[in-house]
Amino acid sequence: PKITSLLYICAAPVLLYLAFWYTTQGSPLEAVQDGTPDHTPQPHVVEMATFTKEVLIPGTGPTPQKGQHVTVSADLYLKDGHVGIWSTHQPSGFLFSATGGPQPFEYQAGVGGVVPGWEDGVASMQLNEKARLTIPWNYAYGANGHPGFKIPPRADLVFEIQVLAIR
């Protein structure tokens, strides 16, 4: 009787954990649809204080260094509602679109010419890499937002950026 009681006491937390896992994560068998495991590549995600980066297309080569000129294509969205604000290459769908054709954006790395989340996020990107950077409001345009770009106060931002050139 003591062993049975001990078994119930030890097994109960394990069973509760498995029940919780199943209800929050789903069955591990759901990944196997036709008898073969799902080998879909998962995105590479990097979480930092000033940004979260999801690599969409891996890059090759160097990362931008302080003082270098970096050329990117970029789309800017408000995280809340995924509202398109600015694009360097999309002709429509944004408040500020590239209506006259692609207009890559160039800036000097490491000198404060862009918001801190962008600066840090792009500094972690290789040449030709495309990534989605999610930037918290305090590392974007802050408590005041950016009225000229119609970015409200305390707005978290999402940039989709591809590094086109580093010189």
Side-chain angles (χ1 to χ4, degrees):
K2 288 184 180 183
I3 293 176
T4 306
S5 299
L6 183 61
L7 181 63
Y8 286 132
I9 291 171
C10 293
V14 171
L15 292 174
L16 286 172
Y17 175 77
L18 291 173
F20 172 76
W21 174 266
Y22 188 85
T23 58
T24 58
Q25 305 296 321
S27 168
L29 299 177
E30 288 176 5
V32 180
Q33 299 294 326
D34 61 355
T36 59
D38 180 8
H39 293 293
T40 305
Q42 298 301 312
H44 177 70
V45 176
V46 175
E47 293 189 38
M48 302 298 284
T50 59
F51 68 93
T52 299
K53 177 176 83 168
E54 178 184 350
V55 176
L56 304 174
I57 299 172
T60 57
T63 58
Q65 302 300 308
K66 184 176 181 175
Q68 289 185 307
H69 290 266
V70 183
T71 304
V72 300
S73 66
D75 294 333
L76 165 61
Y77 302 90
L78 296 179
K79 184 178 177 189
D80 185 27
H82 203 67
V83 175
I85 300 293
W86 171 67
S87 179
T88 62
H89 60 281
Q90 300 290 337
S92 63
F94 293 81
L95 295 175
F96 301 93
S97 298
T99 55
Q103 303 164 4
F105 178 73
E106 183 177 310
Y107 72 101
Q108 191 172 8
V111 298
V114 292
V115 298
W118 167 304
E119 188 81 74
D120 296 345
V122 175
S124 75
M125 295 174 66
Q126 292 181 293
L127 183 62
N128 298 315
E129 181 176 325
K130 183 174 184 178
R132 182 175 298 120
L133 301 177
T134 302
I135 301 174
W137 66 268
N138 48 327
Y139 296 105
Y141 289 104
N144 296 324
H146 191 298
F149 274 133
K150 300 186 182 224
I151 296 173
R154 300 179 192 273
D156 294 336
L157 304 178
V158 176
F159 285 96
E160 288 189 7
I161 298 175
Q162 185 163 21
V163 178
L164 303 174
I166 302 169
R167 53 178 183 80

